[in-house]
Amino acid sequence: MTCRSKQLPALLLGTALVASVLGLGTVATAAGSGDTPAASAVGHTGHTGHTAAVSTRASGDDPDGDGYIPAVPPVTDVTPSQATPPPRYHKEFQANCAVTHTAPDDPIVYPGQPGKSHDHTFMGNRTTHAGSTTASLYGRDTTCLAPADASAYWMPSLYKGDRKISPVGPQVIYYKAGVTDYTSVRPFPKGLRFVVGDPMQSAQQFRGHKGFVEGWECGDSFFNTDIPATCPSRPDVQLNLRMQAPSCWDGRYLDTPDHKSHMAYPVVKPGTNDNMCPASHPVALPMIEFKMAWPVNGDMSDVRLASGRGYSFHYDFFNAWEERTLKALVDQCIVGGFQCDARGYDLYHPERAAVLNADYRLP
């Protein structure tokens, strides 16, 4: 049964209405996420699965098909922290996860619709497919070093000509503090999911995205909005990209129709350089940062993403961590202000025992 009190942000409704009037289907916006709205995408012709659509389709986690997945229970007793704890340079741990498979599926944007999306490269949970739900992912086998991380991570596949190029080995996925008060960060709620970036974004929008870190890089070339045309032909050179996710949650929904509005990037506290969550999204969560590396160099003129040009890069996250393990890592490494590896161990603070044992499991 659809809850009539749920409403899309006005900007999203306006964009969707324009698209409807023009007969163009749904168009993504980034309302509430700090992204630039993709209203300019109206009239854009992309290849199949190249639209970050507003989802209104029944699925295992969204039986009424309205696109809203409520958090049960919601988090309603939080106000954005304006505290400034003792400065710590690092407040993070790593989730090192290898590629599992590729497929033209997207269980967030196109739930239950196999083959609907452009091709994606999946990491972490080995079972991720178009029909994946919180229940189907939770507790399943994973390529992440920590067996408790059954989360699904995915991004558009990379091609050189017609040959698909996948990252080799565990990729670095950081869990960091995105706010100044790192002691206020709490674990992701089970089943939270979101999309970072937009396949329809322009080069300018990609460069101005709040999650933009260093853009595409290879060798000594940094801050590229598109994939460089050439990279040094050396064994030690790979194509790299880093991109950060929003880390402030509204506390109400695990997903929204645009897959972004329930999340937001931190804002600057007036009169300071401190970052804090906005009042609309008061719950501070870990900030995910993808640090991907593809084994390709030399002539890059025919290197592209399944979603298009390099600036169409985006990625998806679907949380399926075992709750106790995620909380233990967040508490020691982010809230504690340490620089941890995938075991929750800080090399520079050996007095702090690792959170996980040698098998990457919580003792």
Side-chain angles (χ1 to χ4, degrees):
M1 178 176 178
T2 302
C3 178
R4 299 301 178 188
S5 64
K6 301 172 185 174
Q7 294 185 355
L8 285 169
L11 177 59
L12 180 58
L13 282 173
T15 305
L17 179 60
V18 170
S20 176
V21 170
L22 295 179
L24 297 171
T26 51
V27 178
T29 73
S33 71
D35 296 346
T36 302
S40 60
V42 174
H44 176 89
T45 301
H47 42 80
T48 301
H50 196 202
T51 301
V54 174
S55 293
T56 52
R57 180 185 177 96
S59 66
D61 283 339
D62 181 22
D64 64 3
D66 69 352
Y68 288 91
I69 301 176
V72 181
V75 178
T76 58
D77 58 346
V78 177
T79 56
S81 175
Q82 300 188 44
T84 304
R88 302 298 288 265
Y89 190 74
H90 294 286
K91 296 85 63 176
E92 65 187 40
F93 68 91
Q94 296 181 20
N96 298 141
C97 307
V99 170
T100 57
H101 61 287
T102 63
D105 292 349
D106 191 323
I108 294 178
V109 177
Y110 298 111
Q113 302 174 74
K116 179 76 171 179
S117 173
H118 51 249
D119 201 75
H120 283 113
T121 295
F122 293 88
M123 297 171 288
N125 197 299
R126 293 182 183 273
T127 72
T128 312
H129 58 85
S132 291
T133 63
T134 304
S136 75
L137 293 173
Y138 190 80
R140 299 300 293 270
D141 192 25
T142 178
T143 61
C144 299
L145 293 182
D149 185 8
S151 302
Y153 308 86
W154 65 93
M155 59 192 174
S157 297
L158 185 100
Y159 290 83
K160 180 171 175 57
D162 294 328
R163 183 166 60 96
K164 195 179 302 183
I165 307 292
S166 291
V168 177
Q171 298 299 293
V172 178
I173 301 171
Y174 288 108
Y175 281 56
K176 300 183 175 184
V179 293
T180 298
D181 184 10
Y182 53 87
T183 67
S184 68
V185 176
R186 61 177 66 194
F188 290 119
K190 183 178 178 180
L192 181 76
R193 69 210 70 182
F194 52 76
V195 178
V196 183
D198 191 326
M200 303 296 287
Q201 64 204 351
S202 66
Q204 182 180 6
Q205 288 171 327
F206 178 55
R207 181 64 182 86
H209 192 281
K210 290 186 177 182
F212 187 94
V213 181
E214 295 177 346
W216 294 97
E217 57 183 62
C218 64
D220 296 325
S221 179
F222 300 88
F223 297 105
N224 298 292
T225 56
D226 206 349
I227 298 170
T230 61
C231 289
S233 297
R234 301 198 313 263
D236 63 323
V237 172
Q238 297 191 84
L239 179 66
N240 297 276
L241 182 69
R242 298 172 66 153
M243 192 170 185
Q244 297 175 342
S247 58
C248 297
W249 178 44
D250 67 5
R252 299 173 61 204
Y253 297 109
L254 302 176
D255 196 13
T256 43
D258 65 350
H259 317 298
K260 297 182 180 183
S261 294
H262 56 308
M263 301 295 297
Y265 285 88
V267 297
V268 178
K269 179 182 176 181
T272 73
N273 291 319
D274 292 350
N275 289 324
M276 57 180 287
C277 285
S280 60
H281 296 72
V283 185
L285 301 177
M287 180 193 73
I288 285 182
E289 178 181 309
F290 265 33
K291 184 180 180 182
M292 303 289 110
W294 292 265
V296 61
N297 56 35
D299 179 8
M300 307 280 286
S301 59
D302 59 347
V303 175
R304 60 180 174 84
L305 294 171
S307 53
R309 299 283 292 272
Y311 47 79
S312 71
F313 183 82
H314 56 287
Y315 66 87
D316 301 53
F317 169 67
F318 195 140
N319 176 44
W321 274 90
E322 188 276 319
E323 295 93 328
R324 295 179 311 114
T325 305
L326 178 58
K327 185 178 189 308
L329 288 165
V330 168
D331 287 351
Q332 169 140 314
C333 303
I334 298 180
V335 175
F338 292 96
Q339 182 182 16
C340 297
D341 61 13
R343 288 185 57 208
Y345 177 71
D346 187 339
L347 178 67
Y348 302 102
H349 291 274
E351 73 279 4
R352 303 278 297 191
V355 174
L356 308 181
N357 63 23
D359 296 324
Y360 294 88
R361 297 179 184 275
L362 192 67

